[in-house]
Amino acid sequence: MDLCYQKKKKLMKVLKFGGTSVANAENIKKVQAIVASESEEKKMAVVVSALGGVTDLLLKTADLAVKQDESYKDTLQHIEDRHLETIQQLIPITSQSAIISKVKQHLNQLETLYEGLYLLGEITPRTSDKIVSYGELLSSYIISEFFKVAGLDAALKDSRDLIKTNKHFGKAQVNFKLTNTNCYFYLKGAKHQVTVLPGFVASTVEGETTTLGRGGSDYTAAIIAGAVDAKTLEIWTDVSGMYTANPKVVKQAKAIAKISYEEAMELSHFGAKVLYPPTVQPVLEKKIPIHIKNTFQPHEVGTLIVQEDFKEELPVKGISNVDKIALLTLEGVGMVGIPGISKRLFEVLSQEEISVVLITQASSEHSICLGINAAETEKAECAVNEAFAYEISLNKIKPVIIESGLSIIALVGDQMKSHQGLSGKMFSTLGKNNVNIRAIAQGASERNISAVIDEKDVNKALNVLHERFFEEQTKQLNLFVTGVGNVGEKFLAQINQQKKFLKERLKLNIRVVALSNSKKMVFNESGISLSNWQEELAEGEAASLDGFFEKVKSCNLRNSVFVDNTANDVVAATYHKYLKNSIAVVTCNKIAAASDYQNYQLLKKLAFNYNVPFLFETNVGAGLPIIDTLKNLIASGDRIHTIKAVLSGSLNFVFNNFDNDHNFHDVVQQAKVEGYTEPDPKIDLSGVDVARKILILARESGYQIDMEDIENIPFLPQESLDAPSVPEFFETLKTHDTHFNNIYEQATEKGARLKYVATFENGKAKVGLEEIPADHPFYNLEGKDNIVLFYTDRYQEQPLLIKGAGAGADVTASGIFADIIRVGSN
């Protein structure tokens, strides 16, 4: 008989439903509806798993029994209750008796096995297979009986009668010649439209129960599909196909419509739990399509796994990961040029039945690094050290080095080999987000690029790689904001207003993840609503700078930005911690950039070393692009000779409004109320704020200078400078009203206006109140405006001039916002 010819007739479809799909009566009804809708076309085999979670319960019960813990009876009772409850919810009362009787017969057999374990205190692989087989045997029986009462032409067939294996209990090897013959002739002659089969279980030729190991139910379905040359193999699960990344981790992940067998196996090998790699093998040679679909969303397209090559598709098909990985490294000078070291290493691991998931070897042959399952670390370490004990005793090879707490991430795609620079994009993207790579491997087929990273970085790595390779180049920035006073409030309002624009035009998705003031802080990794953030913050936990940092660090989100809207020196002292963890810092707080030169240099160095922005544009000129312009001048090779500037919008406001009709105290009070001064106006009026600004400009010009190097010529009386509090400071302004009036009148008599000027020239800086004549560029500077004149090699006679509003919550907030956009463009 021409068996190959017969198979070309495409006997049937094969459908497999996993544990979540048959977890309870409600789900099983969905399965029945799917089978009913498809059974009209062609005969089908329906392979089912145990009820969701039952296999784990069976193993847990066995473990308790072996430990002679009588609570095993409770878990066994729970198993019985689950199945009986499912029957009662699926089967009409008039038909329940016989089915319950049959199920109880199985459960009695199971109870006997557990009693034996309890008495013996041990379990063999053979007994374990026998026990766990009851999960699928019970579910398949109940489901087949429900199909019948629901009107389907269905029958149950025990997979153990068809699939024959060796005696390797726990993960038996299939005898395909015998199995294919059994499956083909039975299903070819099947009289019923639907044949229900238990997954995962098989038997030896002698009839002893075996199991097919992890992913066994998928494997069962693939074996049957391959044997009968099925039209298609449908894997029904709780997700709508294979995704570009784990959708539970990457919210933007999308189902892959079509994928090749090889790509599917690579993704599955690297952790895509929808499919188990051996599943593909029995259908691969037959080119039988595999369709992965969602039991709970049956109308979704799902993923079709086929042989075709999709050259028009993106080079990267998906990103996957394997957790709980350990790196095992064997190294030493005694390995160099010595044949057979690798053979011995892999041989000893093979003898211990330890699977190697990743291999990388130094070209010097000085070391071999292997990735293994973390659960097998201790066994591997002992075995390898024992195998190389002689070389270790001679110090030619070091004892094996174990690193745990790791994961593997992998880019997968058939067309990756045809595209240059993918690995560069992958590693630079990870590097920018402080994801350290411990080992790298690339298959000879160039179908995957794998990297071993710390398991704490997996979520961030998957999201940032998905953003880089699959999303419309939209970059998500995660902001951690401290300081929500005048400036902070305006900043949040501006973000809320511009979110849509930034996403559509600049491809930036800005999300505020945390807020803090001096009393409260709140975190929400999904993003804080900017329409009612005040309420969320009020409900938050007690604020703590250390606690805030630790939470930012533990969130470990990609493209994280710490935003400081305060004027607090303690907050500024934390910047180095953020930069060391590759978290960008954006601040309007001048204290850090104006701190001692050593600290300033440290922050700049950390930003460079960790490739992370440290931006403080608003430190000088609020929203004016003063620092950015200066940086561009220096970067393009220009040199700064002189800087002349009015850098205090608050002082300019004060002296523009101070006249014979308005006393000095009232004008300063008005400036404070309108948000033009620091919370403590003495910082502005003492010249400290302006000194910090010219100091920052001098440093950004390339000069080493500290605050004590700046000459500060005070105009305030000493009593005002010594005032211990803000209220007392304001009182001194009243007391010395005559002093301020005299300063004003002296300038007026000369036809001059008062401006607080900062000067940097020949490496020296000074700040102080000056009488500006009418022909000077500073004379007509109105309101709260700032002005800066840069005299450089290129701008010698006519300086480069920057002028505009230099104070106020709105413009300062806009400057911070501009720095955030710069971070997004980095």
Side-chain angles (χ1 to χ4, degrees):
M1 173 184 160
D2 187 353
L3 190 60
C4 291
Y5 172 76
Q6 292 291 331
K7 288 182 180 179
K8 287 178 183 176
K9 291 183 178 179
K10 304 288 185 187
L11 289 174
M12 59 173 57
K13 276 184 177 182
V14 178
L15 283 68
K16 178 263 174 177
F17 293 91
T20 52
S21 297
V22 295
N24 51 49
E26 182 183 348
N27 292 1
I28 293 171
K29 288 175 183 177
K30 296 182 192 299
V31 169
Q32 186 273 332
I34 291 167
V35 173
S37 68
E38 296 203 17
S39 64
E40 298 172 6
E41 299 178 20
K42 195 178 283 286
K43 284 187 176 181
M44 65 173 64
V46 175
V47 177
V48 296
S49 296
L51 302 187
V54 164
T55 301
D56 288 339
L57 281 172
L58 289 166
L59 290 170
K60 178 184 176 183
T61 308
D63 184 54
L64 291 170
V66 167
K67 292 175 180 175
Q68 297 180 325
D69 182 341
E70 292 206 1
S71 67
Y72 84 85
K73 295 177 182 177
D74 297 330
T75 54
L76 179 57
Q77 185 61 52
H78 179 56
I79 293 168
E80 179 175 337
D81 292 343
R82 281 276 308 273
H83 289 88
L84 295 181
E85 182 182 331
T86 302
I87 294 169
Q88 289 160 2
Q89 293 175 356
L90 289 175
I91 309 295
I93 295 176
T94 53
S95 305
Q96 285 180 12
S97 179
I99 298 170
I100 290 173
S101 176
K102 180 76 172 177
V103 166
K104 284 199 170 184
Q105 184 181 340
H106 279 306
L107 291 167
N108 288 338
Q109 293 167 359
L110 188 56
E111 183 179 14
T112 302
L113 288 169
Y114 283 134
E115 286 173 353
L117 297 184
Y118 183 84
L119 292 171
L120 291 171
E122 63 178 2
I123 186 171
T124 65
R126 183 196 306 257
T127 307
S128 180
D129 271 7
K130 182 74 173 173
I131 286 171
V132 294
S133 71
Y134 278 93
E136 273 71 15
L137 296 176
L138 288 166
S139 68
S140 59
Y141 172 67
I142 293 169
I143 291 167
S144 67
E145 292 300 315
F146 171 61
F147 281 3
K148 292 175 190 176
V149 300
L152 286 174
D153 179 20
L156 175 67
K157 180 61 179 175
D158 192 335
S159 301
R160 295 177 296 180
D161 297 338
L162 305 178
I163 300 174
K164 296 298 175 181
T165 69
N166 63 8
K167 295 185 178 183
H168 190 162
F169 297 99
K171 192 178 180 181
Q173 303 299 309
V174 176
N175 180 334
F176 278 100
K177 185 175 180 181
L178 182 55
T179 296
N180 288 346
T181 302
N182 290 344
C183 291
Y184 174 75
F185 282 107
Y186 176 79
L187 291 168
K188 174 180 177 287
K191 297 177 181 178
H192 297 277
Q193 190 75 10
V194 178
T195 301
V196 179
L197 302 108
F200 183 55
V201 297
S203 71
T204 64
V205 175
E206 295 79 12
E208 296 172 290
T209 297
T210 57
T211 60
L212 300 177
R214 180 185 155 216
S217 291
D218 283 359
Y219 198 19
T220 301
I223 291 166
I224 292 168
V228 301
D229 198 19
K231 175 184 176 183
T232 185
L233 168 59
E234 294 182 2
I235 306 289
W236 290 83
T237 181
D238 58 354
V239 291
S240 299
M242 300 189 84
Y243 279 71
T244 48
N246 184 345
K248 293 178 181 177
V249 176
V250 181
K251 303 302 181 188
Q252 293 79 21
K254 296 172 278 191
I256 305 168
K258 266 189 182 180
I259 191 170
S260 72
Y261 291 119
E262 290 78 9
E263 289 170 328
M265 283 195 290
E266 290 284 355
L267 279 175
S268 299
H269 176 72
F270 286 104
K273 296 178 175 61
V274 176
L275 194 68
Y276 183 55
T279 302
V280 182
Q281 296 296 346
V283 298
L284 186 59
E285 290 182 9
K286 307 286 181 66
K287 299 182 180 179
I288 298 169
I290 302 174
H291 203 169
I292 299 173
K293 298 203 71 178
N294 189 339
T295 305
F296 309 101
Q297 300 287 338
H299 301 298
E300 300 239 342
V301 175
T303 297
L304 186 63
I305 306 173
V306 289
Q307 185 63 43
E308 286 92 338
D309 193 13
F310 313 108
K311 293 189 177 175
E312 77 284 357
E313 298 282 347
L314 292 170
V316 179
K317 270 291 176 65
I319 308 165
S320 199
N321 68 288
V322 184
D323 294 327
K324 294 182 173 56
I325 292 294
L327 279 185
L328 182 155
T329 303
L330 190 68
E331 64 180 28
V333 293
M335 294 171 59
V336 180
I338 305 299
I341 294 289
S342 299
K343 175 181 178 293
R344 288 171 61 193
L345 176 59
F346 290 117
E347 212 167 54
V348 70
L349 294 175
S350 175
Q351 288 167 357
E352 295 292 329
E353 298 184 349
I354 296 171
S355 179
V356 176
V357 294
L358 178 140
I359 305 166
T360 179
Q361 182 170 12
S363 56
S364 64
E365 301 180 46
H366 181 264
S367 68
I368 302 173
C369 182
L370 308 174
I372 62 172
N373 188 307
E376 299 177 315
T377 301
E378 188 175 339
K379 182 167 63 169
E381 184 177 14
C382 292
V384 174
N385 283 339
E386 185 177 339
F388 290 92
Y390 178 69
E391 289 86 350
I392 291 171
S393 69
L394 298 176
N395 294 319
K396 290 186 175 181
I397 293 179
K398 297 178 183 178
V400 67
I401 301 166
I402 299 290
E403 295 175 75
S404 56
L406 304 172
S407 294
I408 298 174
I409 54 169
L411 296 188
V412 173
D414 278 340
Q415 301 306 312
M416 284 168 54
K417 58 189 172 187
S418 307
H419 290 73
Q420 290 76 34
L422 289 177
S423 57
K425 290 177 184 176
M426 176 183 181
F427 300 136
S428 66
T429 300
L430 294 174
K432 283 181 180 179
N433 281 273
N434 199 29
V435 177
N436 189 36
I437 297 170
R438 291 292 304 111
I440 299 167
Q442 182 166 8
S445 67
E446 299 183 56
R447 194 172 283 118
N448 83 71
I449 305 169
S450 307
V452 180
I453 64 173
D454 195 304
E455 62 185 10
K456 72 178 175 59
D457 290 326
V458 168
N459 285 15
K460 178 164 66 173
L462 290 176
N463 275 281
V464 77
L465 288 175
H466 194 274
E467 186 176 78
R468 181 66 182 84
F469 288 102
F470 290 101
E471 295 169 37
E472 192 189 348
Q473 295 308 302
T474 297
K475 189 173 187 178
Q476 180 171 295
L477 298 183
N478 294 294
L479 307 189
F480 299 84
V481 181
T482 185
V484 289
N486 285 344
V487 173
E489 188 172 352
K490 298 290 185 184
F491 170 65
L492 295 176
Q494 289 174 13
I495 291 178
N496 196 31
Q497 177 185 320
Q498 291 297 103
K499 271 187 97 171
K500 185 177 180 183
F501 174 86
L502 292 173
K503 198 165 187 178
E504 291 177 354
R505 300 290 185 87
L506 300 183
K507 305 302 179 187
L508 285 178
N509 180 22
I510 296 182
R511 188 170 67 172
V512 176
V513 176
L515 291 172
S516 178
N517 58 22
S518 60
K519 296 179 180 178
K520 295 282 188 176
M521 62 183 187
V522 62
F523 283 75
N524 185 341
E525 288 191 33
S526 300
I528 294 169
S529 169
L530 295 184
S531 57
N532 65 338
W533 62 266
Q534 292 95 336
E535 289 83 351
E536 285 196 50
L537 183 58
E539 297 287 321
E541 60 187 291
S544 156
L545 284 178
D546 288 338
F548 193 85
F549 167 71
E550 290 300 330
K551 286 215 170 189
V552 174
K553 185 178 172 183
S554 65
C555 285
N556 202 19
L557 298 176
R558 68 195 188 280
N559 306 321
S560 293
V561 185
F562 174 63
V563 183
D564 178 15
N565 295 320
T566 75
N568 190 301
D569 58 340
V570 183
V571 177
T574 66
Y575 293 172
H576 69 283
K577 296 195 289 187
Y578 290 96
L579 295 172
K580 280 182 180 178
N581 284 275
S582 289
I583 297 165
V585 174
V586 170
T587 179
C588 61
N589 186 343
K590 290 176 279 291
I591 292 173
S595 61
D596 66 86
Y597 188 77
Q598 188 176 3
N599 185 61
Y600 165 81
Q601 280 290 80
L602 171 65
L603 296 177
K604 299 287 268 187
K605 186 177 180 181
L606 289 173
F608 178 81
N609 289 346
Y610 289 91
N611 192 28
V612 60
F614 170 41
L615 301 178
F616 42 89
E617 181 65 65
T618 50
N619 279 194
V620 182
L624 295 176
I626 295 172
I627 294 176
D628 196 49
T629 301
L630 177 57
K631 284 180 178 178
N632 291 335
L633 288 172
I634 300 300
S636 65
D638 206 353
R639 288 185 307 162
I640 307 298
H641 300 306
T642 302
I643 303 171
K644 296 277 289 183
V646 174
L647 294 173
S648 174
S650 52
L651 282 172
N652 202 41
F653 175 89
V654 167
F655 286 108
N656 279 336
N657 287 279
F658 174 45
D659 54 29
N660 290 324
D661 299 323
H662 302 87
N663 67 54
F664 192 73
H665 167 275
D666 292 347
V667 173
V668 175
Q669 186 72 272
Q670 182 186 352
K672 182 178 184 296
V673 169
E674 294 191 22
Y676 297 146
T677 71
E678 297 288 340
D680 180 357
K682 185 170 65 174
I683 295 172
D684 296 284
L685 272 67
S686 66
V688 170
D689 187 60
V690 176
R692 285 173 178 162
K693 292 176 180 177
I694 195 66
L695 172 67
I696 291 167
L697 292 182
R699 286 176 171 178
E700 292 296 301
S701 300
Y703 291 87
Q704 182 173 339
I705 185 171
D706 274 306
M707 276 290 283
E708 54 265 28
D709 300 323
I710 298 173
E711 183 183 3
N712 187 341
I713 306 165
F715 71 89
L716 288 176
Q718 192 62 43
E719 186 183 358
S720 299
L721 292 171
D722 294 339
S725 68
V726 173
E728 288 170 291
F729 171 74
F730 273 105
E731 283 301 315
T732 67
L733 299 186
K734 290 179 182 178
T735 305
H736 293 278
D737 188 53
T738 302
H739 167 77
F740 299 117
N741 288 336
N742 289 338
I743 294 173
Y744 172 76
E745 287 168 4
Q746 288 172 16
T748 304
E749 287 171 4
K750 298 174 186 176
R753 299 183 72 180
L754 292 170
K755 302 292 176 187
Y756 200 89
V757 179
T759 305
F760 176 75
E761 191 171 13
N762 298 323
K764 295 182 181 292
K766 68 175 182 177
V767 297
L769 193 63
E770 295 185 14
E771 296 172 346
I772 303 298
D775 60 350
H776 195 282
F778 294 172
Y779 184 84
N780 291 314
L781 193 66
E782 299 297 336
K784 58 184 182 296
D785 285 0
N786 280 191
I787 186 169
V788 180
L789 307 178
F790 288 119
Y791 293 86
T792 73
D793 284 351
R794 296 174 192 154
Y795 298 91
Q796 293 186 24
E797 295 180 6
Q798 292 296 324
L800 174 62
L801 184 152
I802 301 171
K803 178 182 176 183
D810 270 324
V811 291
T812 304
S814 70
I816 297 168
F817 203 163
D819 272 348
I820 297 295
I821 293 171
R822 288 186 186 97
V823 172
S825 303
N826 187 309

